[in-house]
Amino acid sequence: MTFATIRAWGNSKGLIIPKQICDMLGLAAGDRVSIKPNAKNSAIEIAPMKRKYTRDKVLTAEDVFSGWSGAYSLPDDLRVPASRGEECSWGEPVGKEMW
């Protein structure tokens, strides 16, 4: 059994979760947890929230689109001459740009 001390944290109270427990549950700073009070037996249940994404694997574009079989082409509004290696003009300066 591990013990911790509740500490003042602004107008709230804070509890530091020991590293061993964080490692065991796969928790890291910034993770969200649910806190459920149980007045019946004077207990507090703290459980990790389910994650949409995990830090275990960095996804590549191939991973993200692995199940997709549709065709893709760049939308016309994103096609700029610079993408074909040509010079692209952004027009005359309109503010205090330095050229």
Side-chain angles (χ1 to χ4, degrees), residues 18 34 42 47 55 66 86:
S34 65
S42 298
R55 290 186 281 284
S66 64
E86 302 169 11

Side-chain angles (χ1 to χ4, degrees), residues 32-51:
R32 294 178 56 94
V33 296
S34 65
I35 302 171
K36 182 178 174 184
N38 187 335
K40 188 185 247 184
N41 62 359
S42 298
I44 301 171
E45 180 182 313
I46 301 173
M49 303 267 306
K50 291 187 179 180
R51 298 183 188 121

Side-chain angles (χ1 to χ4, degrees), residues 21-39:
I21 294 176
C22 289
D23 291 345
M24 183 175 64
L25 298 175
L27 293 174
D31 285 352
R32 294 178 56 94
V33 296
S34 65
I35 302 171
K36 182 178 174 184
N38 187 335

Side-chain angles (χ1 to χ4, degrees), residues 56-73:
D56 298 337
K57 181 179 179 188
V58 176
L59 295 179
T60 64
E62 289 79 18
D63 294 330
V64 173
F65 293 104
S66 64
W68 190 58
S69 60
Y72 177 78
S73 62

